[in-house]
Structures are given as C-alpha cells and as structure tokens.
Amino acid sequence: MENEPLRQIRKLSQYYAYSSIQMHEAIGHKAGLSGTDHKYLGWLIEKGEMTAGELANLTGLTTGAITGLIDRLEKKKLVRRKFAEDDRRKVLIAPDTKKIMALLQPLYKDFRNKSEQLLASFSQKDLKVIETYFRSAIEIMEATTHSLNKKQSR
Amino acid sequence: MENEPLRQIRKLSQYYAYSSIQMHEAIGHKAGLSGTDHKYLGWLIEKGEMTAGELANLTGLTTGAITGLIDRLEKKKLVRRKFAEDDRRKVLIAPDTKKIMALLQPLYKDFRNKSEQLLASFSQKDLKVIETYFRSAIEIMEATTHSLNKKQSR
DNA sequence: CCTAATTATCTTATCCACTAAGATAATATA
DNA sequence: TATATTATCTTAGTGGATAAGATAATTAGG
C-alpha cells in the first residue's frame, strides 16, 4: 500500500517534465531552431560567454557537434565567435543577448504572463515551499545525471 | 523594479526543466534508447496501448517517424504491434510494461529514492501547494504548446 | 631556445532519425 | 460495386550527431 498524495506528485512531476520538454521544443521550432539549439542558446544566455570546449563538456556533445551548433547559431547572428585573448586556440561564444531575446521573448510572452499570474496566486510562504522543492529537486536530478554519465561511456 | 522571489522561482523552474531534460536523456542513453524513444515509451506506459495514429497526433511526429519509432521499440521487444480487431488498418502499440520497467526502473531507482525522501520532508499541506502548482503549470505549458503548434505549421 | 607533447577546435566520413510525398491496404459511402 | 477516405508503411532526401583524425596554438623538457 502506497502513500497516495506522494504517488500523485510523482506522476505530476513527470508530466511536468514532459510538458516542459514539449513546450520547449514547440517554442524552438517556432523560432526556427532545433530543440538542441534552443536549449543550449538558453544556457548561453543564462551562463554568458563561454568557450566551445566548456559548452561541449556542459552539454555532453562532441566538439564536432559543438562546431556545428556554433555555426548554425552564428549564421543566424545569435552568437558570435571570438578568439580568447589569453589563448588563441580557444573560441569564445558570445551570445547576442538582445537578438536572442528579441527572437524568443515574443514566443514566451504568453507563457510568462500566465506563469506570473499563477505564481502571484500563491502566498509568499507557499512560494518559499515551491522554491525549496525546486532547489532540492534540481540538485537530485543533476546528481543523477552526473552519476549516470560518469559510470562508463558518454 | 521586480519582485525578487518571483524572479527566483522563474529562473528555478527553467533550471528544473533543463535538469529534467538532461536527466531524461542520460537515463535513456544508459538504457540504449534515444531521448525520443525514451520519452514516448514513457507516454505509452502512462497512457497504455494506443494506435500508431494516436501516438503520431500526441507526439507531433509524422506517421513515417512513428513507424520507425515502433520498429525500434519492437526490435527491442519493448512494445508489440497488434492489429485492432474492429479495424485492421489500425496498428495498436502494446507496451510490454514488465519489460520496460525492468529496463528503466534500475536507472530511475536512485532518483526515485531521493525524490521520495525529499517529498517526505514536506508537510501534507506543503505537498498540496506543490501539487497545485504542478497542476496549473502543466495546464499552462500544454496550452502554450498547443497554441504554438496550431498557429501555422508543424 | 627548439623540439615534442598537449590542448582546443575544426574537418571529414558515416550514421540515424526525421520530414514529405506517395504507395498500399482496409473500411466507409454513394 | 465503384469511389473516396482513412491508417499505416515505404522511399528519397535532409540535418544534426558521432568518431577519428587534421590543424593550429600553447606548454614542457632537454
């Protein structure tokens, strides 16, 4: 016999993940980006300028794939290649935040408004609960991913 | 000037989405499945037996892609094709739940245990908050996806 | 210093999953 | 019964991934 509310939440969190993947892909598609390109563009915005190698490590993609990724994004003028001053083998990927925002914001607008509204419906205390949950859940998922990717292969 | 806790949560929910995508792919990869195959296998388990066409609609993939998907999963004996009795053009995809579970459960085990532990650390009232958040957020994301995929193309 | 080893990215060949369009086969309709 | 419709599959072509090796810059050793 199982704790029913727990089972519910587990299922919901799974649905939540599916839904966000689907939405993410839909938005990317609408912006003329593949799911991958959209995802890593998000990372670039989030973490800012980084080298091709760092992105390869972060994403788990091969350096060849990263070259292609940068090529595609650069062709769309969403990022720019720069050689690092301290080491000219390194290629810094500089996201053009303005341009990326201009491309994506309109597509996220509806979602963002509705999310804003939803969050506004919670008390500060409840928001704290949600925040705590998120933080821990993220930690768990990242640890899981990490350990899976480490043990052999990839 | 912006509400800081809100900004935090928005960012966290984005990270949460990224983390779940990454973990999902890592688990799939470990199980010898592509991200897509893993994802839709999850749907099949969740929603149970469905026709190829239904899966095509649900996923947004073309029927050709679905044929390939079923082929791959069938070759691994994770699903089985059956012709529907009422209409023998229809191909029912019957997931072999036992086999799928046997393949995936071990990979989710760690994650699941830790999640269980995390959830157990919340009060029933807090869990209710989280559940409410999930339900509404899922609704919002599905609506967004839907409207993006509807307006032109895909 | 100068050569060899290492490091960072790119190139190439190949593969796999996707789309688009049309083929095939079963069912519904007139 | 002939025709239209529906459900899936097939085929040709494309795009993004990997693996392995090439290129170019930096670091280390004698």
Side-chain angles (χ1 to χ4, degrees), chain A residues 5 9-10 13 15-17 33 36 48 56 61 66 68 71-72 78 109 113-114 118 143 148:
Chain A
I9 290 210
R10 198 168 50 230
S13 82
Y15 266 124
Y16 184 88
L33 301 168
T36 326
L61 294 179
I66 293 296
D71 285 349
R72 291 191 299 277
L78 297 174
K109 203 180 139 219
N113 285 340
K114 285 188 199 157
L118 169 60
L148 282 170

Side-chain angles (χ1 to χ4, degrees), chain B residues 49-54 80-94:
Chain B
E49 195 168 295
M50 65 177 79
T51 69
E54 282 165 353
R80 201 162 49 79
R81 273 187 172 88
K82 296 195 306 187
F83 288 98
E85 289 193 11
D86 63 318
D87 180 344
R88 283 189 308 196
R89 289 167 304 178
K90 288 186 185 165
V91 166
L92 282 171
I93 315 167

Side-chain angles (χ1 to χ4, degrees), chain B residues 8-25:
Chain B
Q8 274 300 317
I9 290 209
R10 198 167 51 229
K11 204 177 227 170
L12 279 172
S13 81
Q14 209 170 55
Y15 266 124
Y16 185 87
Y18 285 146
S19 308
S20 50
I21 295 176
Q22 292 295 104
M23 181 181 79
H24 194 271
E25 268 179 20

Side-chain angles (χ1 to χ4, degrees), chain B residues 64-75:
Chain B
I66 294 296
T67 299
L69 174 69
I70 304 174
D71 285 349
R72 292 190 299 276
L73 295 179
E74 200 174 37
K75 198 165 353 175

Side-chain angles (χ1 to χ4, degrees), chain B residues 47-63:
Chain B
K47 317 219 172 191
E49 195 168 295
M50 65 177 79
T51 69
E54 282 165 353
L55 189 57
N57 283 328
L58 217 63
T59 59
L61 295 179
T62 59
T63 59

Side-chain angles (χ1 to χ4, degrees), chain A residues 3-4 9-10 12 23-24 34 74 97 106 118 121-122 143 147:
Chain A
N3 186 333
E4 180 59 19
I9 290 210
R10 198 168 50 230
L12 279 171
M23 182 180 79
H24 194 272
S34 76
E74 199 174 37
T97 308
L118 169 60
S121 76
F122 289 97
S147 99

